[in-house]
């Protein structure tokens, strides 16, 4: 029973923080509006309000058209001590953009969390400390470390403050270019940071991978983002264009022949077509390009034959002959 109560408290913790934030920023709110904003029931809101009231936070409730739940007039909780940048960092963290380990944004987040913790009922303080000890978010891949983004703090500042930057950018082909940019927004996609910015030299908004910036200087010049610009719409269109271009550029169909429909063998492969020649299954899979295909087909040879394309079949044939020569030589010696 104790474990069940502890779990219930932890599940409610985020709602208590949210209720305090909403009442601080919006003033009086009806329970129904709080419930809709927090995607919970009105009954749960009233229970949460009772918990906050029992902890000593003076909340008042009134009925009628102008009624609702509010903090007692003249009373402010510690949330008012939150600075604007701290609130922004809380918001970004909630969106899945966690702060780095030692930068300015990390300090802002820690400061905000300490102030929030002081505003919560005492029983929840230990829950926060327990969660910090027992839960760890690690977005770093196993086999390749997370790419360093050394200028992320400057880019965040430029986006938030509306300041222009000059930047040295390394293109995919290794070419370097100096650009003057008006940062419109930052996007995180699968742990990688991208900057949407108006490039003054190109005269249009472009997407830059943040890890490819080799130098960034924050300028005193400011700019205004056009009112009609939407970061969400821009990124949606940019994603679609990228996927279409990638599919057109990275298309390399490989035909595999096997006598057994081995599902584990096909796991992780982009199967485009399935057929049969009467004696065996024929699978056509996209391996994107020749070099990628060379690396991916070798483990398949245990169960399958590579039918095409011809240059890939020739590569496999040469590889098998090399193996045969190597092992026969080892046996002879």
């Amino acid at each position: 029973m104790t474990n069940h109560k502890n779990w219930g408290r932890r599940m409610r913790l985020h709602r208590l923080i949210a209720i305090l934030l909403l009442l601080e920023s919006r003033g009086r709110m009806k329970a129904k509006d709080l419930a809709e904003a927090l995607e919970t029931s009105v009954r749960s809101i009233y229970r949460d309000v009772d918990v906050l009231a029992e902890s000593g936070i003076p909340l008042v409730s009134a009925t009628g058209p102008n009624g609702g739940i509010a903090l007692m007039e003249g009373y402010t909780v510690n949330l008012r001590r939150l600075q604007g940048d701290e609130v922004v960092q809380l918001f970004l963290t909630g969106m899945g953009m966690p702060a780095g380990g030692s930068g300015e944004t990390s300090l802002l987040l820690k400061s905000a969390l300490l102030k929030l913790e002081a505003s919560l009922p005492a029983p929840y303080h230990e829950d926060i400390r327990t969660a910090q000890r027992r839960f760890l978010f690690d977005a770093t891949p196993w086999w390749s470390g997370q790419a360093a983004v050394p200028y992320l703090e400057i880019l965040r500042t430029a986006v938030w403050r509306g300041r222009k930057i000059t930047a040295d950018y390394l293109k995919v082909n290794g070419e370097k270019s100096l650009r003057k940019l008006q940062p419109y927004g930052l996007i995180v996609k699968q742990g990688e940071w991208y900057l949407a910015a108006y490039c003054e030299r190109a005269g249009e908004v472009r997407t830059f991978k943040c890890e490819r910036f080799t130098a960034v200087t924050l300028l005193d010049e400011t700019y205004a983002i056009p009112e009609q610009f939407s970061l969400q719409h821009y990124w949606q269109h940019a994603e679609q264009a990228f996927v279409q271009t990638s599919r057109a550029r990275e298309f390399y169909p490989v035909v595999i022949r096997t006598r057994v429909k081995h599902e584990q063998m096909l796991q992780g492969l982009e199967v485009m077509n399935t057929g049969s020649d009467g004696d065996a299954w024929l699978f056509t899979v996209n391996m994107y390009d020749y070099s990628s295909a060379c690396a991916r087909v070798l483990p398949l040879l245990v169960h399958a034959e590579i039918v095409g394309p011809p240059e890939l079949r020739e590569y496999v044939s040469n590889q098998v002959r090399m193996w045969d020569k190597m092992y026969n030589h080892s046996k002879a010696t």
Side-chain angles (χ1 to χ4, degrees):
M1 181 63 71
T2 301
N3 289 337
H4 177 74
K5 287 182 178 178
N6 289 341
W7 175 252
R9 286 212 311 266
R10 293 180 183 121
M11 290 294 287
R12 187 186 292 176
L13 180 58
H14 71 286
R15 288 206 310 270
L16 296 178
I17 294 174
I19 288 172
L20 289 172
L21 283 170
L22 287 169
L23 294 181
E24 278 278 347
S25 61
R26 301 186 188 180
R28 188 180 301 277
M29 291 186 67
K30 294 185 179 296
K32 177 177 177 293
D33 295 331
L34 282 168
E36 289 179 357
L38 302 180
E39 298 181 349
T40 188
S41 67
V42 172
R43 180 177 295 181
S44 294
I45 292 296
Y46 280 126
R47 284 200 297 261
D48 293 339
V49 168
D50 288 341
V51 170
L52 291 170
E54 289 170 3
S55 71
I57 295 178
L59 293 169
V60 294
S61 179
T63 59
N66 298 321
I69 301 166
L71 291 165
M72 184 178 292
E73 186 175 355
Y75 181 86
T76 59
V77 295
N78 288 335
L79 295 178
R80 285 285 171 89
R81 296 191 302 149
L82 288 177
Q83 304 299 314
D85 288 344
E86 294 172 338
V87 174
V88 170
Q89 188 52 51
L90 277 174
F91 176 73
L92 293 178
T93 304
M95 287 179 63
M97 300 185 182
S102 58
E104 179 186 352
T105 52
S106 178
L107 295 176
L108 289 171
L109 177 61
K110 290 175 183 176
S111 174
L113 290 175
L114 284 172
K115 292 175 183 179
L116 282 174
E117 183 177 343
S119 302
L120 293 171
Y124 290 88
H125 293 182
E126 182 57 32
D127 288 338
I128 292 178
R129 289 189 286 269
T130 299
Q132 291 172 339
R133 291 194 300 267
R134 297 183 184 177
F135 294 91
L136 174 67
F137 176 77
D138 183 2
T140 306
W142 276 109
W143 307 119
S144 59
Q146 192 80 31
V149 189
Y151 300 101
L152 184 57
E153 295 288 346
I154 297 178
L155 295 174
R156 278 175 162 170
T157 300
V159 169
W160 183 242
R161 303 297 182 193
R163 301 265 293 276
K164 293 184 181 181
I165 61 172
T166 56
D168 290 329
Y169 190 71
L170 186 65
K171 297 182 180 179
V172 178
N173 60 7
E175 178 185 345
K176 290 185 178 180
S177 63
L178 175 64
R179 301 168 185 263
K180 189 174 184 180
L181 304 175
Q182 300 176 17
Y184 280 12
L186 280 166
I187 305 103
V188 180
K189 176 76 171 182
Q190 294 184 341
E192 296 185 332
W193 289 83
Y194 297 87
L195 176 73
Y198 179 82
C199 178
E200 295 189 356
R201 186 179 70 180
E204 63 180 5
V205 181
R206 293 189 173 180
T207 303
F208 302 89
K209 198 169 186 178
C210 294
E211 67 186 66
R212 292 188 186 147
F213 286 113
T214 58
V216 178
T217 301
L218 190 66
L219 304 178
D220 290 332
E221 297 178 60
T222 60
Y223 60 93
I225 300 176
E227 290 186 8
Q228 68 272 20
F229 178 81
S230 165
L231 183 62
Q232 288 77 13
H233 291 161
Y234 169 79
W235 182 249
Q236 184 179 13
H237 291 308
E239 270 193 310
Q240 291 172 353
F242 174 76
V243 170
Q244 290 172 359
T245 303
S246 297
R247 284 177 176 171
R249 186 177 65 248
E250 301 178 357
F251 180 68
Y252 192 80
V254 175
V255 180
I256 301 170
R257 184 177 187 270
T258 178
R259 293 186 179 277
V260 293
K261 193 173 182 180
H262 206 289
E263 293 182 0
Q264 186 175 0
M265 178 187 70
L266 298 172
Q267 189 173 6
L269 297 177
E270 184 182 337
V271 180
M272 303 165 55
N273 188 40
T274 302
S276 173
D277 61 4
D279 296 324
W281 291 94
L282 293 173
F283 297 102
T284 303
V285 301
N286 182 19
M287 293 193 175
Y288 311 111
D289 55 44
Y290 173 73
S291 60
S292 176
C294 289
R296 301 185 74 176
V297 295
L298 298 182
L300 304 178
L301 300 182
V302 176
H303 301 288
E305 171 193 357
I306 306 303
V307 178
E311 69 272 14
L312 185 63
R313 184 177 173 87
E314 179 66 21
Y315 165 79
V316 171
S317 178
N318 291 336
Q319 191 70 37
V320 170
R321 282 197 294 268
M322 184 189 71
W323 288 341
D324 181 66
K325 181 178 179 181
M326 179 174 61
Y327 282 101
N328 281 334
H329 175 76
S330 299
K331 185 177 179 180
T333 56

